């Protein structure tokens, strides 16, 4: 198949492009750095010519409320319009488990807007809602503290390796559109404060994690249902400890 990966130069995009090429697909990695901008529309029509599947793994450069909403709404509209014009047969998008439960957060309001545009469009689609990537734990720690301490909710999470996210997206792209949502999670639940503690310890980061049930996660308080999947998600097999030992050079 001919497949366009929007955001093909990002964390997931790079792995996804490699995975799809290994499976024999013809793949275009589309992003501003290769002249395709979903926000302005630049290069979209050319990139989508003759394409069967579009996989959107782009992310907003800014997480500020207004900017991120503008990013997912405008790029979503531009992308779906260009796909309709090119008669694309399957739109696959990467979203986040719990998006509809996290709307106190500007980022998740923007992801919800992205999902709603997809559902309202006439393009056959599959939305893959993933849990947090192991690679994102560092940014989670960075988002909620200062030089010495990090305040973290003890809410349950079930994070996943980005390699497993890319593999699952490649499987979904090869299947028929479900016109629905599938969830993807890692192999084991863990409490968020403990996850960050293990990450900081493995990277010999001296910051202390303070457990706080009211600590906000990108603007919203969490409970055990906020970020965890419903029954029967797709499971990425890589365990956090295995990922840590092969990915992290202690600082
Ligand atoms: N982080 C998590 O734990 C998590 C969990 C579940 C789902 N997700 C979702 O996963 C997706 C991918 O995340 P990621 O961490 O792989 O992202 P990332 O590494 O930040 O990469 C973002 C990509 O988006 C591209 N991009 C930026 N502006 C664009 C534009 N105007 N038009 C087209 N492409 C544009 C970038 O291209 P350039 O390199 O050219 O700038 C880059 O390829 C996001 O939608 C996110 O919501 C994330």
């Amino acid at each position: 198949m001919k497949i366009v990966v929007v955001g093909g130069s990002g964390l997931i995009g790079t792995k996804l492009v490699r995975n799809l090429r290994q499976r024999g697909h013809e793949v275009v990695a589309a992003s501003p750095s290769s002249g395709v901008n979903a926000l302005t529309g630049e290069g979209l029509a050319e990139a989508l010519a003759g394409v069967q599947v579009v996989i959107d793994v782009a992310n907003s450069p800014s997480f500020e409320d207004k900017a991120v909403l503008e990013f997912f709404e405008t790029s979503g509209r531009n992308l779906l319009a260009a796909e309709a014009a090119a008669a694309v047969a399957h739109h696959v998008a990467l979203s986040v488990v719990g998006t509809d439960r996290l709307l106190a957060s500007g980022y998740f309001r923007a992801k919800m807007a992205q999902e709603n545009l997809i559902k309202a469009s006439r393009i056959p689609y599959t939305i893959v809602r993933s849990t947090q990537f192991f690679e994102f734990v560092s940014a989670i720690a960075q988002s909620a503290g200062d030089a010495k301490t990090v305040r973290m909710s003890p809410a349950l999470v079930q994070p996943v390796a980005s390699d497993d996210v890319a593999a699952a997206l490649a499987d979904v792209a090869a299947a028929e559109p479900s016109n629905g949502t599938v969830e993807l999670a890692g192999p084991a639940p863990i409490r968020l404060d403990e996850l960050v503690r293990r990450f900081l310890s493995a990277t010999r980061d001296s910051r202390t994690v303070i457990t706080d049930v009211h600590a906000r996660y990108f603007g919203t308080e969490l409970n055990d249902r906020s970020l965890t999947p419903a029954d029967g998600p797709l499971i990425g097999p890589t365990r956090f400890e295995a990922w840590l030992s092969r990915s992290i050079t202690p600082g």
Side-chain angles (χ1 to χ4, degrees):
M1 284 194 291
K2 188 167 178 196
I3 302 175
V4 166
V5 177
V6 181
S9 58
L11 170 67
I12 298 297
T14 307
K15 292 169 190 273
L16 178 58
V17 167
R18 194 182 315 129
N19 187 310
L20 290 165
R21 285 187 179 143
Q22 279 165 1
R23 298 181 190 208
H25 299 295
E26 186 186 340
V27 186
V28 178
S31 75
S33 52
S34 64
V36 184
N37 191 325
L39 203 49
T40 63
E42 180 201 351
L44 272 184
E46 296 82 351
L48 265 50
V51 161
Q52 284 96 49
V53 180
V54 171
I55 313 177
D56 183 6
V57 292
N59 207 358
S60 173
S62 164
F63 281 19
E64 186 272 320
D65 284 4
K66 199 161 163 277
V68 70
L69 185 63
E70 159 80 5
F71 179 85
F72 281 111
E73 280 190 337
T74 306
S75 64
R77 279 202 191 95
N78 287 341
L79 202 48
L80 292 162
E83 289 176 34
V88 167
H90 191 180
H91 178 92
V92 179
L94 182 58
S95 190
V96 189
V97 164
T99 290
D100 52 313
R101 299 187 287 274
L102 298 162
L103 300 178
S105 154
Y107 186 80
F108 290 102
R109 286 197 295 278
K111 293 300 286 183
M112 198 71 244
Q114 178 191 23
E115 291 193 10
N116 287 338
L117 283 168
I118 294 166
K119 290 175 187 165
S121 84
R122 289 203 303 271
I123 318 287
Y125 70 90
T126 308
I127 294 170
V128 178
R129 279 186 171 183
S130 167
T131 56
Q132 288 59 52
F133 314 148
F134 295 156
E135 287 80 354
F136 192 58
V137 177
S138 168
I140 294 173
Q142 214 55 44
S143 72
D146 54 33
K148 291 208 168 123
T149 57
V150 178
R151 297 194 91 81
M152 277 295 137
S153 161
L156 276 181
V157 292
Q158 197 168 328
V160 64
S162 62
D163 280 321
D164 294 342
V165 177
L169 286 168
D171 289 344
V172 166
E176 292 298 312
S178 72
N179 295 315
T181 302
V182 290
E183 292 191 321
L184 169 69
I190 179 172
R191 299 210 169 269
L192 183 59
D193 56 338
E194 184 56 24
L195 177 73
V196 173
R197 223 170 255 127
R198 283 194 204 173
F199 178 81
L200 295 183
S201 157
T203 53
R204 309 234 170 102
D205 187 318
S206 61
R207 283 177 291 171
T208 307
V209 176
I210 298 169
T211 302
D212 176 355
V213 287
H214 298 298
R216 288 177 176 266
Y217 178 81
F218 297 99
T220 183
E221 286 193 21
L222 300 176
N223 60 44
D224 284 351
R225 280 293 300 121
S226 303
L227 296 174
T228 43
D231 288 344
L234 301 173
I235 295 291
T238 307
R239 301 192 70 82
F240 184 59
E241 290 69 24
W243 175 84
L244 265 182
S245 62
R246 73 162 190 255
S247 315
I248 299 301
T249 317

